[in-house]
Amino acid sequence: TTWWRSRTVEALSKERREISVESVLASPGDPTGLERQVEELQREVESLDKGEATLSLHSGRYFAARRRELITAPCPRGDAVRIRLVLLTLDRFERSETLHCESTDLSPPTNSVRVLNRGNHSTPPCFEIEPLTSLNDLEVEVGDNRLTFNGTLAPGDRLVIDTENNRATLNDSTNVTHLTDAFPWLSPGWTRVAAGGGSATGTLTITYRDLWV
């Protein structure tokens, strides 16, 4: 009773997906039950508009989206309602529901880890660096790319590098002035990630979601 189709569109100077869903809600002999189904659907769409819910078309993946239109058309007998829902995604990417997390040390020889992007598009990781000793000129290598923090991190500092939003936060204060090079993304498949700075000790944590287009 449900089908959907998707197409790529340009909206607000950005590539997005327009997803159309058509369905039939039915509750023969129970008009009150049918009314509850429609009300539940309307609540879910409102949650989607508020960013509190997502749309899943494939198992384990989701889109963040907002409605373009929601039409409910009762049938003459009153025991079914035809639904037409059109959504516009926030971007063109379908994300994994699983937030992957990998950790490695900052000191060699255990300062590298291989991470797997299961999607078909490069994905932006988030790096969290927490040194246990003073760390100078931190370098994060992602495949053939390198990101450098030209500064000093003290024991107990927490540096978060958000590559999706091109932002670095040091102890809750946004700070990008010491970053050089581009913010690296993870290519599809396996990628080696390494970090370090001299003889410093501590941890590097990598979090990311797979991306599909």
Side-chain angles (χ1 to χ4, degrees), residues 6-8 16-19 63 87-89 91-92 213:
S6 172
R7 66 189 183 104
T8 301
R16 304 170 189 262
R17 300 281 289 277
E18 184 184 75
I19 300 171
F63 286 103
L87 305 169
L88 185 67
T89 63
D91 54 36
R92 64 193 181 108
V213 293

Side-chain angles (χ1 to χ4, degrees), residues 70-136:
L70 172 61
I71 298 174
T72 58
C75 75
R77 292 179 305 191
D79 58 356
V81 174
R82 182 175 178 179
I83 304 296
R84 174 173 167 79
L85 175 63
V86 180
L87 305 169
L88 185 67
T89 63
L90 300 190
D91 54 36
R92 64 193 181 108
F93 298 120
E94 190 176 17
R95 291 169 166 80
S96 64
E97 293 178 354
T98 301
L99 178 65
H100 304 292
C101 182
E102 302 285 350
S103 296
T104 187
D105 297 327
L106 292 177
S107 56
T110 57
N111 62 326
S112 69
V113 64
R114 294 180 73 228
V115 297
L116 175 61
N117 172 13
R118 300 157 183 80
N120 64 5
H121 192 279
S122 296
T123 188
C126 182
F127 303 107
E128 183 176 324
I129 296 96
E130 296 184 280
L132 296 176
T133 58
S134 183
L135 193 162
N136 296 311

Side-chain angles (χ1 to χ4, degrees), residues 128-208:
E128 183 176 324
I129 296 96
E130 296 184 280
L132 296 176
T133 58
S134 183
L135 193 162
N136 296 311
D137 298 329
L138 167 73
E139 290 185 348
V140 179
E141 296 180 7
V142 181
D144 296 329
N145 300 311
R146 176 174 298 180
L147 180 66
T148 304
F149 183 84
N150 289 327
T152 299
L153 297 177
D157 278 347
R158 180 173 177 266
L159 175 65
V160 177
I161 302 173
D162 178 358
T163 64
E164 182 168 13
N165 297 297
N166 294 340
R167 180 174 62 229
T169 304
L170 177 59
N171 299 332
D172 299 325
S173 297
T174 301
N175 183 343
V176 296
T177 58
H178 296 304
L179 286 174
T180 61
D181 311 308
F183 287 84
W185 286 30
L186 301 173
S187 300
W190 290 98
T191 301
R192 176 182 175 272
V193 178
S199 58
T201 61
T203 59
L204 164 70
T205 303
I206 308 151
T207 53
Y208 66 97

